Amino acid sequence: METVEVVMVVETSKEEEDSSAPPGDTPALSPGPCTESGQDDNWGETTTAVTGTSEHSLSQEDIVRITKDLEDSVGLDCRRYFSLTLAVVLGLLVFLTPLAFLALPHLLWPDKLLVCGTACEGLFISVAFKLLILLLAVWALFFRAPRAGLPRVFVFRALLAVLVLLFVVSYWLFYGVRILDSQDENYQGIVQYAVSLVDALLFIHYLAIVLLELRQLQPAFSVCVTRSTDGETRHYNLGQLSIQRAALAIIENYYRDFSVHNPALLTASKSRAAKHLAGLKVYNVDGEFPASPATGPENNAATGLAHSQSRAMIAAAARRRDTSHNELYYEEAEHERRVRKRKARLVVAVEEAFTHIRRMQEEEQKKAPGDVMDPREAAQAIFPSMARSLQKYLRTTRQQHCHSMESIQQHLAFCITNNMTPKAFLESYLTPWPTLQYGRERWLARQWTLVSEVSVTSGLKEGAIFLLKCIDFSLVVTAKRIPYIQLSEEFIDPKSHKFVLRLQSETSV
């Protein structure tokens, strides 16, 4: 199985800051990342701030891992700049070659050249405009900010680069043998030779558009993407792509379509299973007690009593196991009741806060322009009235890791600025957002690992399976080819729809 790494080229840096809760009764919301492990529901009251000097220890494995990460980052940067340097050098060679073909005869044997007529001068205009069109086309197609760093080279782009290089070298060889060595006097023929080179380069650019852009537009495969932790699944249609480029498209769609990964939602089921297993005891019923010379009737009776008690305990554990589904049912029902209760309190608190905002806006319209409160100050003024209800709701739904107090105040100021309703403000917290809508420090994984049994430069095939691994989860991707659809036509004669209604009148006799 081949394992390669896909490194997203997104530079992010986040400094860890120690924060303490502000004085007062207003609860503070945690700014912690959404990818950390689950915390206690009462984290707002049980959080302890420890100050002073701390000691850190690193194992040999940590040092090796840190060294490997540094080497990988340096290697990726070098490879990125090396590819950019090669592209710039090849581009300069392509654009300077036609100009060199036109300038070298004037520099080496200017006295032997024939006079360039009207047709020759017209070719100069043709070369100039074609080079300008080629420059704009190359800039639009190739000189774009890279979206990601792929583990292997892009095959079609590498083939096009090799084709252009061989093409330009062959033109230089022919130019050196037939024109430079013989010092050709027909300058119009030299200009036509340069024009043919520019025309060929334009056709190669058209080939690049077909291979790099148009070929992948028609859907050919339907891929199923499943997140390993919670089983969330999406389906996408992809064209003729290699595995590494299909992985890049899937990661981009993941950030747009999948809800943010919240490990706190998974800790409830794990704790429930651990609690259930902790209540079970296993006894050795068939095991015999060691015999001793002093064994008598009393000891035999005690042994039988112990065996009967063990069987009774096992039967009780089995009955408890049979009723565990009832515990799960009532536990989920109680959780849903708590969520509805906290949601109702939150909705009422937010509506009252927005009513207060509208009242404040009406009062500010009567004040002088210098005394008007900006949206940021208004958000800070009404936030304490809804903070406690919002914090309890986020705790109950285990979203407190995904929303910080600063982000909530910014969203509240945004809603006030754009005159949005309380329902529009609450939608961000009542309904899970796509991953991309949260702050980058909450979800961004700098490095993805692509695991595939076949080469990542090969194209997608029927039944292809590969994994995209992140720190906390992995995406399992399965590809299915879109079936060939055969449509047939059936002609219906318009006359077949016509009918005659004959009425027989009845007369009374």
Side-chain angles (χ1 to χ4, degrees):
M1 179 175 292
E2 183 176 0
T3 304
V4 293
E5 295 182 352
V6 180
V7 180
M8 304 299 293
V9 185
V10 181
E11 300 296 335
T12 58
S13 61
K14 183 176 180 297
E15 299 180 355
E16 296 181 357
E17 301 177 354
D18 294 335
S19 60
S20 59
D25 297 334
T26 302
L29 297 180
S30 170
C34 186
T35 57
E36 64 183 18
S37 60
Q39 299 182 5
D40 184 22
D41 286 343
N42 298 323
W43 56 266
E45 287 80 12
T46 59
T47 301
T48 303
V50 180
T51 60
T53 305
S54 61
E55 296 181 357
H56 301 277
S57 61
L58 291 176
S59 62
Q60 185 66 25
E61 291 78 5
D62 295 335
I63 297 176
V64 172
R65 177 177 55 81
I66 295 173
T67 306
K68 182 178 181 300
D69 294 340
L70 291 176
E71 291 177 355
D72 292 342
S73 62
V74 173
L76 288 168
D77 292 337
C78 293
R79 184 173 62 181
R80 189 195 315 170
Y81 290 119
F82 179 72
S83 302
L84 180 61
T85 303
L86 285 181
V88 171
V89 170
L90 183 59
L92 291 176
L93 178 63
V94 167
F95 285 101
L96 294 180
T97 294
L99 301 179
F101 286 173
L102 299 177
L104 286 178
H106 285 284
L107 297 176
L108 299 180
W109 62 95
D111 299 335
K112 299 181 181 180
L113 292 177
L114 299 179
V115 178
C116 184
T118 305
C120 180
E121 293 176 354
L123 292 176
F124 280 124
I125 300 176
S126 175
V127 169
F129 277 99
K130 289 179 180 179
L131 283 178
L132 179 61
I133 294 173
L134 182 62
L135 177 63
L136 295 177
V138 169
W139 170 79
L141 183 60
F142 294 103
F143 287 89
R144 292 180 287 186
R147 297 179 299 171
L150 298 180
R152 300 292 177 86
V153 67
F154 189 9
V155 177
F156 285 137
R157 182 169 292 187
L159 289 178
L160 288 171
V162 172
L163 176 62
V164 170
L165 181 60
L166 293 177
F167 190 76
V168 173
V169 169
S170 62
Y171 259 76
W172 268 110
L173 291 176
F174 186 86
Y175 184 83
V177 173
R178 299 299 300 269
I179 298 177
L180 291 181
D181 291 344
S182 61
Q183 295 185 354
D184 192 357
E185 300 177 355
N186 186 8
Y187 189 68
Q188 182 176 356
I190 297 175
V191 175
Q192 290 178 347
Y193 184 73
V195 171
S196 66
L197 172 61
V198 178
D199 292 337
L201 292 174
L202 287 173
F203 280 109
I204 292 179
H205 185 271
Y206 172 74
L207 177 63
I209 293 176
V210 172
L211 293 179
L212 302 181
E213 301 293 334
L214 300 181
R215 182 174 177 269
Q216 64 189 19
L217 294 181
Q218 183 178 4
F221 294 92
S222 175
V223 295
C224 175
V225 185
T226 305
R227 189 158 58 189
S228 59
T229 52
D230 54 1
E232 186 173 354
T233 303
R234 294 289 188 276
H235 296 269
Y236 303 104
N237 289 339
L238 298 178
Q240 296 287 347
L241 294 173
S242 62
I243 292 180
Q244 62 177 357
R245 292 187 65 81
L248 176 59
I250 289 170
I251 292 174
E252 292 174 348
N253 290 323
Y254 167 79
Y255 285 135
R256 183 193 64 190
D257 297 337
F258 278 72
S259 60
V260 66
H261 181 255
N262 191 355
L265 295 176
L266 306 175
T267 57
S269 59
K270 293 181 181 179
S271 62
R272 189 188 305 115
K275 183 176 67 175
H276 176 67
L277 292 177
L280 297 179
K281 295 182 180 180
V282 180
Y283 297 88
N284 186 10
V285 179
D286 298 330
E288 296 181 358
F289 291 95
S292 72
T295 301
E298 296 81 1
N299 293 333
N300 293 332
T303 302
L305 179 61
H307 284 187
S308 61
Q309 291 178 352
S310 300
R311 292 189 180 93
M313 294 293 292
I314 291 177
R319 288 193 298 270
R320 181 179 179 181
R321 180 190 58 193
D322 294 337
T323 59
S324 61
H325 63 279
N326 291 331
E327 298 177 2
L328 175 61
Y329 171 77
Y330 288 112
E331 182 180 351
E332 291 182 351
E334 176 64 21
H335 177 71
E336 292 177 358
R337 187 191 66 81
R338 290 177 58 196
V339 170
R340 290 195 301 267
K341 182 179 179 180
R342 298 288 169 84
K343 179 181 177 181
R345 291 181 178 178
L346 176 60
V347 170
V348 172
V350 172
E351 288 179 351
E352 291 178 354
F354 272 75
T355 303
H356 182 62
I357 280 291
R358 287 193 293 268
R359 191 182 307 114
M360 291 172 57
Q361 289 176 350
E362 294 176 357
E363 294 177 355
E364 288 176 356
Q365 290 178 358
K366 304 176 183 179
K367 296 181 180 180
D371 298 334
V372 177
M373 183 182 300
D374 63 349
R376 180 67 177 177
E377 295 177 353
Q380 293 177 353
I382 68 170
F383 178 72
S385 62
M386 69 174 72
R388 188 169 185 83
S389 300
L390 180 58
Q391 185 191 37
K392 288 185 177 180
Y393 178 79
L394 294 179
R395 286 180 189 171
T396 306
T397 57
R398 295 179 176 88
Q399 300 182 60
Q400 69 271 26
H401 311 294
C402 302
H403 302 280
S404 65
M405 182 175 64
E406 183 66 23
S407 65
I408 294 174
Q409 289 183 357
Q410 291 179 359
H411 181 58
L412 181 58
F414 173 79
C415 294
I416 295 174
T417 304
N418 296 276
N419 196 21
M420 302 173 73
T421 61
K423 184 178 181 181
F425 169 76
L426 287 173
E427 192 66 21
S428 303
Y429 311 104
L430 302 181
T431 305
W433 278 8
T435 303
L436 194 61
Q437 299 300 322
Y438 292 86
R440 289 194 173 189
E441 69 277 3
R442 314 286 174 191
W443 51 262
L444 182 63
R446 179 175 173 81
Q447 185 167 332
W448 290 80
T449 302
L450 174 59
V451 182
S452 175
E453 295 182 353
V454 297
S455 176
V456 295
T457 57
S458 60
L460 288 176
K461 297 181 180 179
E462 171 71 22
I465 300 175
F466 58 91
L467 270 69
L468 289 168
K469 287 188 176 181
C470 190
I471 298 177
D472 300 323
F473 59 91
S474 61
L475 300 178
V476 183
V477 183
T478 305
K480 296 290 184 180
R481 183 178 291 275
I482 296 178
Y484 177 78
I485 300 174
Q486 179 68 39
L487 293 178
S488 60
E489 180 184 5
E490 181 180 356
F491 176 74
I492 299 178
D493 190 1
K495 297 181 180 180
S496 62
H497 297 287
K498 295 181 180 181
F499 59 92
V500 178
L501 179 61
R502 296 179 178 178
L503 297 177
Q504 295 180 359
S505 60
E506 297 181 358
T507 59
S508 57
V509 179

